[in-house]
Amino acid sequence: MSHEMESNGSIEYVALGGEGSSVNLEKFQKVPIIPLIFLIFYEVSGGPFGVEDTVRAAGPLLALIGFLVFPFIWSVPEALITAEMGTMFPENGGYVVWVSSALGPYWGFQLGWMKWLSGVIDNALYPVLFLDYLKSAIPALESGFPRIIAVLILTLALTYMNYRGLTIVGWIAIFLGIFSLLPFMVMGVIAVPRLKPRRWIMVDLKNVNWGLYLNTLFWNLNYWDSISTLAGEVDDPEKTLPRALFYAVLLVVFGYLFPLLIGSGAVPVNPELWSDGYFSEVARLIGGVWLRIWVQAASALSNMGMFMAEMSSDSFQLLGMAERGMLPEFFAKRSSFGTPLIGILFSASGVILLSWLSFQEIVAAENFLYCFGMLMELVAFVKLRMKFPTLNRPYKVPVGSKGAILMCLVPSLLIFVVLAFTTFKVFVISISAVMVGLVLRPCLKYVEHKRWLEFSVNSDLPDIQTTLY
């Protein structure tokens, strides 16, 4: 199969898997819009579990304002950039390809390393958090050998679901998403007679923990770009991806605001009690033990949804990087289900290795790596807008070059604010991880030069560098 590049500098993508392709991908079902919405939902959110710290840090009023305003400052710009860049480059390299096209393949690789490592660190949390919800019912899972075996079994089971195909993961995400949000809808119906709106305006500006407040908001409203590494698996991505991102933004914001309104309005507010898992206690106070059990089950299963969505993104990112010649070509090999087997195994191995570590500093390090990577994406977006304004963009954010700069200005400032709260220990860990990536790229180029491993570029993908430059 050949591809054509238009004379005006646009890039025309062709469907992979046709005549001359090494793998026939047409037999694998593409992901339609509804499963894609819920995959994005789990990449970003997974439900209101974990937003309780905003109330503890700043009280109900600032928590509600935060989840109303922060999406416009951060989530909407990131989702718009993902829609534009993801439809420009609808392939599984995602943001790696964006940065490579604007800043060169060296920096594209650095972004890929930081994003993949960040994703694996993130995913290592979910099996452990899942077991934390079960240990009250099964005390043996709290520590020791039974917990180790349970983490391994859970990781392997969820990894197998990813191996069986992205479409399966998407439909499971729909089921888990509905199951996770439904108890809060029921809670809302029961709580209506108890709502006292005056509780929503409680605030004590003298005792606001701004670091915890901002980090919690940032943590719960980022990762919109992760879906870009699945763009090559999406049905009609030029139309489907922007629509899915739009509906996912609405779903995520509603999934945070509605439970916060119900929880803080129907129950006397003591901010000190609002920590991770407090929504289950709110459910008990409003509906009884049966509703608390439902919320706990929803929270536990939500971790499964987030694990599968994150692993899909991580593994397909490695496949996309291999198709661009950044990784050995065995990362581009697909299973009989169309999934990147080696990428899945690498991601699962990273999850298992990190599952035994203490997470407080590591999660902060993940945030640091994510921020570092996002700065590169924002620079790539602006550079491509300014240097190649006529490049074909199936979806284009309705702003000019100056508007693109202004749109990225506030998220960039926010990133520096979040980084300013980084402790020295987290800074050292994060910079060490970045240094590994700086060395890893030339090492892989040396391996390629010596022909110790095979590297190749998928001939069905456009030559971006030739087209742009």
Side-chain angles (χ1 to χ4, degrees):
M1 178 181 291
S2 63
H3 60 267
E4 298 176 0
M5 300 183 183
E6 300 175 7
S7 58
N8 68 349
S10 66
I11 301 173
E12 181 178 337
Y13 277 77
V14 294
L16 301 182
E19 184 180 353
S21 177
S22 58
V23 180
N24 180 15
L25 302 183
E26 292 179 356
K27 66 179 180 179
F28 302 119
Q29 185 178 352
K30 294 288 188 177
V31 180
I33 187 168
I34 301 300
L36 188 63
I37 291 169
F38 280 89
L39 281 172
I40 298 171
F41 172 74
Y42 273 113
E43 291 277 12
V44 175
S45 168
F49 316 105
V51 305
E52 297 98 331
D53 279 334
T54 56
V55 178
R56 181 159 67 101
L61 179 62
L62 287 181
L64 292 168
I65 290 174
F67 282 106
L68 271 173
V69 175
F70 202 88
F72 291 98
I73 297 174
W74 179 262
S75 300
V76 171
E78 188 182 2
L80 287 172
I81 291 171
T82 301
E84 177 170 313
M85 304 286 274
T87 53
M88 279 177 69
F89 306 106
E91 56 180 281
N92 294 327
Y95 37 67
V96 176
V97 182
W98 312 347
V99 172
S100 295
S101 65
L103 307 177
Y106 180 84
W107 293 109
F109 180 89
Q110 301 310 316
L111 175 72
W113 162 250
M114 285 185 280
K115 288 283 191 172
W116 181 79
L117 185 60
S118 172
V120 170
I121 293 171
D122 189 43
N123 237 10
L125 292 169
Y126 300 131
V128 174
L129 290 173
F130 180 83
L131 293 178
D132 284 343
Y133 287 105
L134 294 183
K135 68 184 182 184
S136 58
I138 311 175
L141 296 178
E142 186 167 357
S143 61
F145 187 70
R147 184 177 180 85
I148 293 173
I149 295 299
V151 168
L152 283 171
I153 292 174
L154 186 59
T155 301
L156 291 174
L158 296 176
T159 299
Y160 178 72
M161 292 183 191
N162 277 89
Y163 166 72
R164 287 301 302 268
L166 189 58
T167 303
I168 291 176
V169 172
W171 288 109
I172 292 174
I174 293 174
F175 166 76
L176 293 177
I178 293 171
F179 183 82
S180 297
L181 293 176
L182 199 55
F184 294 98
M185 303 301 293
V186 174
M187 190 190 304
V189 173
I190 299 173
V192 168
R194 306 184 185 187
L195 289 177
K196 295 182 179 179
R198 69 174 181 272
R199 291 172 177 160
W200 293 333
I201 59 174
M202 289 177 58
V203 64
D204 183 3
L205 293 175
K206 294 180 180 179
N207 292 309
V208 174
N209 183 341
W210 292 107
L212 178 62
Y213 176 69
L214 289 173
N215 270 305
T216 304
L217 286 172
F218 188 77
W219 178 264
N220 283 287
L221 287 165
N222 61 17
Y223 280 91
W224 296 94
D225 58 337
S226 294
I227 201 65
S228 69
T229 63
L230 304 176
E233 311 303 308
V234 173
D235 183 26
D236 192 11
E238 287 82 1
K239 294 180 180 179
T240 305
L241 187 58
R243 291 174 183 172
L245 282 162
F246 172 77
Y247 291 121
V249 168
L250 297 180
L251 182 62
V252 168
V253 173
F254 173 80
Y256 287 146
L257 277 175
F258 185 77
L260 276 174
L261 284 168
I262 297 302
S264 60
V267 174
V269 178
N270 181 354
E272 293 181 2
L273 297 177
W274 282 74
S275 57
D276 286 346
Y278 187 66
F279 268 124
S280 62
E281 179 62 19
V282 171
R284 185 190 67 81
L285 293 172
I286 292 175
V289 175
W290 66 273
L291 191 55
R292 181 177 72 175
I293 293 172
W294 191 357
V295 168
Q296 288 176 331
S299 181
L301 291 177
S302 178
N303 285 300
M304 293 176 57
M306 288 186 283
F307 181 99
M308 290 190 295
E310 183 67 57
M311 177 165 281
S312 296
S313 176
D314 295 343
S315 57
F316 274 98
Q317 178 198 318
L318 296 181
L319 180 146
M321 291 176 71
E323 289 184 335
R324 282 290 173 188
M326 295 182 181
L327 294 175
E329 67 176 18
F330 59 75
F331 279 100
K333 302 294 183 185
R334 293 178 183 252
S335 69
S336 58
F337 301 103
T339 49
L341 177 59
I342 303 301
I344 289 173
L345 292 176
F346 260 73
S347 298
S349 299
V351 167
I352 291 171
L353 288 172
L354 291 168
S355 293
W356 325 121
L357 301 177
S358 174
F359 289 119
Q360 189 171 5
E361 282 85 14
I362 291 181
V363 167
E366 174 202 345
N367 235 13
F368 186 99
L369 292 172
Y370 179 83
C371 288
F372 221 67
M374 273 307 304
L375 283 174
M376 295 171 68
E377 290 180 33
L378 295 174
V379 170
F381 171 70
V382 172
K383 184 175 180 180
L384 289 176
R385 268 301 191 95
M386 295 183 71
K387 196 167 185 178
F388 306 102
T390 61
L391 200 67
N392 181 43
R393 291 170 168 85
Y395 172 83
K396 185 176 182 179
V397 182
V399 295
S401 297
K402 292 181 180 178
I405 294 172
L406 291 173
M407 191 175 83
C408 294
L409 185 61
V410 175
S412 299
L413 292 174
L414 181 62
I415 287 173
F416 286 113
V417 170
V418 172
L419 292 177
F421 286 99
T422 303
T423 64
F424 179 74
K425 183 177 181 180
V426 169
F427 177 80
V428 171
I429 293 172
S430 303
I431 292 299
S432 299
V434 171
M435 294 297 292
V436 170
L438 296 176
V439 174
L440 187 58
R441 170 67 175 174
C443 287
L444 285 172
K445 295 301 289 183
Y446 183 77
V447 169
E448 180 182 5
H449 176 71
K450 288 292 187 178
R451 297 185 178 180
W452 292 341
L453 292 172
E454 291 292 327
F455 290 74
S456 64
V457 177
N458 191 319
S459 61
D460 290 320
L461 296 175
D463 187 342
I464 296 172
Q465 296 301 315
T466 300
T467 305
L468 294 180
Y469 297 97

